[in-house]
Amino acid sequence: MNPNKYQIDKLSVFFPCYNEEKNITTTVNKAVKVLENTAKEWEILLIDDGSKDNTPQILKKISQTNKNITVITHNPNRGYGAALKSGLYNAKYPWITFTDSDGQFDFSEIKKLIKKQKATQADLVIGFYKGRKVALYRILGSKLWQFAVFFLFGLRVKDIDCGFKLIRKKVIDEIPKLESERGPFISSELLIKAKKSGFKIVEIGVSHFSRTEGEATGTKLNVIIAGFKDLIRLWYKTNFSK
Ligand SMILES: Nc1nc2c(ncn2[C@@H]2O[C@H](COP(=O)(O)OP(=O)(O)O)[C@@H](O)[C@H]2O)c(=O)[nH]1
Ligand SMILES: [Mg+2]
């Protein structure tokens, strides 16, 4: 085996999963294939966030096939932000990456993110969508959200909530504790806190595909309201409390 084939020494990968029985096996199999040729040492954390379908049983089986794969379970469901926090705070290696478990991203593009990190020495390499495969109203909603984050926090990125990122673990260890649970604010919160702590963020285009199986939850009203509450809470804390 050629030891120089690897692009990175140690990498933690995690996938947030909510009712992904039809997608998760393919997602993990693809990721393992990529990791075997990309990282010398790696782990995959599968975060089951109180799924109501067969996801828990499937995750258990997958984790029994490979000692590098672990399942973290929330019961009941806490939300996307909470799932991301479980992944970020339980990852053990110096670099952490995550993406969706529903097949909407191509995990092999992690190689591009690693290359970009090496070229720029960034602390966070964050994706932006090269053509996001969701309905137009969702793209407009995201742009509005992105403007609110720019207006309130001065953070300007191409896609505030693109679900593919590579992060130095040091960022997670050093920024103030992440608080978002239910809503989509977690991605903004992470970037706002990382930028404020002086970490370098660079962006890279990633492919996006339509969801072919399962259901998206990001457009539910309670999820959107929770996101706005988190946004206002952090803005208030940043500006008015010590
Ligand atoms: N843990 C957790 N993951 C979720 C939740 N909702 C969605 N996800 C996962 O987060 C990823 C993105 O969710 P999705 O609903 O497809 O959002 P979209 O791609 O923006 O439409 C997928 O991998 C989902 O399984 C949730 O409540 N908890
Ligand atoms: Mg999705």
Side-chain angles (χ1 to χ4, degrees):
M1 203 191 296
N2 170 14
N4 296 325
K5 71 175 182 175
Y6 301 112
Q7 285 183 289
I8 194 163
D9 274 350
K10 297 176 181 184
L11 182 65
S12 292
V13 182
F14 71 87
F15 294 106
C17 312
Y18 181 62
N19 294 345
E20 298 290 1
E21 63 181 8
K22 299 232 174 78
N23 295 314
I24 191 62
T25 307
T26 312
T27 299
V28 176
N29 286 344
K30 281 187 182 169
V32 169
K33 248 188 213 150
V34 173
L35 286 166
E36 281 172 342
N37 290 301
T38 308
K40 247 185 243 170
E41 280 180 53
W42 54 270
E43 63 168 349
I44 295 178
L45 308 176
L46 301 169
I47 322 293
D48 174 33
D49 191 31
S51 294
K52 295 183 183 74
D53 64 359
N54 278 322
T55 300
Q57 290 83 339
I58 296 171
L59 296 190
K60 195 173 165 203
K61 250 196 205 152
I62 296 175
S63 68
Q64 285 164 349
T65 63
N66 193 319
K67 64 172 179 23
N68 296 341
I69 303 177
T70 313
V71 180
I72 294 177
T73 306
H74 296 173
N75 205 355
N77 172 262
R78 281 169 50 193
Y80 178 73
L84 250 55
K85 286 193 293 182
S86 283
L88 293 170
Y89 290 126
N90 284 290
K92 64 179 178 187
Y93 289 136
W95 285 96
I96 307 171
T97 186
F98 66 87
T99 189
D100 295 349
S101 52
D102 57 7
Q104 291 198 256
F105 290 93
D106 173 4
F107 185 75
S108 72
E109 291 185 343
I110 184 60
K111 295 179 184 183
K112 284 197 328 197
L113 275 70
I114 296 171
K115 212 169 156 195
K116 184 87 178 176
Q117 191 285 322
K118 285 187 174 161
T120 58
Q121 291 303 304
D123 301 297
L124 298 94
V125 180
I126 66 168
F128 64 84
Y129 297 108
K130 292 189 300 182
R132 189 177 184 184
K133 297 291 185 303
V134 292
L136 184 63
Y137 78 94
R138 288 208 50 196
I139 294 176
L140 296 176
S142 282
K143 292 293 163 200
L144 203 68
W145 176 260
Q146 201 163 303
F147 178 73
V149 172
F150 171 60
F151 187 72
L152 296 177
F153 298 97
L155 177 79
R156 192 199 291 256
V157 292
K158 288 199 177 80
D159 270 309
I160 193 87
D161 49 15
C162 178
F164 200 168
K165 294 182 173 66
L166 174 67
I167 305 166
R168 202 188 286 279
K169 185 172 184 294
K170 189 170 187 272
V171 175
I172 304 306
D173 293 339
E174 291 186 6
I175 62 173
K177 272 257 171 284
L178 297 166
E179 292 176 45
S180 307
E181 284 270 309
R182 171 69 50 198
F185 187 60
I186 187 76
S187 180
S188 312
E189 185 187 3
L190 168 65
L191 298 180
I192 290 164
K193 290 181 171 172
K195 189 182 167 212
K196 207 169 167 215
S197 301
F199 290 108
K200 180 174 177 179
I201 302 172
V202 300
E203 299 177 84
I204 188 164
V206 294
S207 312
H208 196 238
F209 306 90
S210 302
R211 195 188 244 279
T212 53
E213 299 286 355
E215 249 178 71
T217 59
T219 50
K220 288 194 175 151
L221 191 62
N222 68 327
V223 173
I224 294 167
I225 291 172
F228 271 101
K229 274 192 191 158
D230 288 333
L231 174 84
I232 300 301
R233 191 182 303 127
L234 183 63
W235 177 74
Y236 186 85
K237 243 185 164 171
T238 308
N239 291 284
F240 300 107
S241 64
K242 276 170 242 151

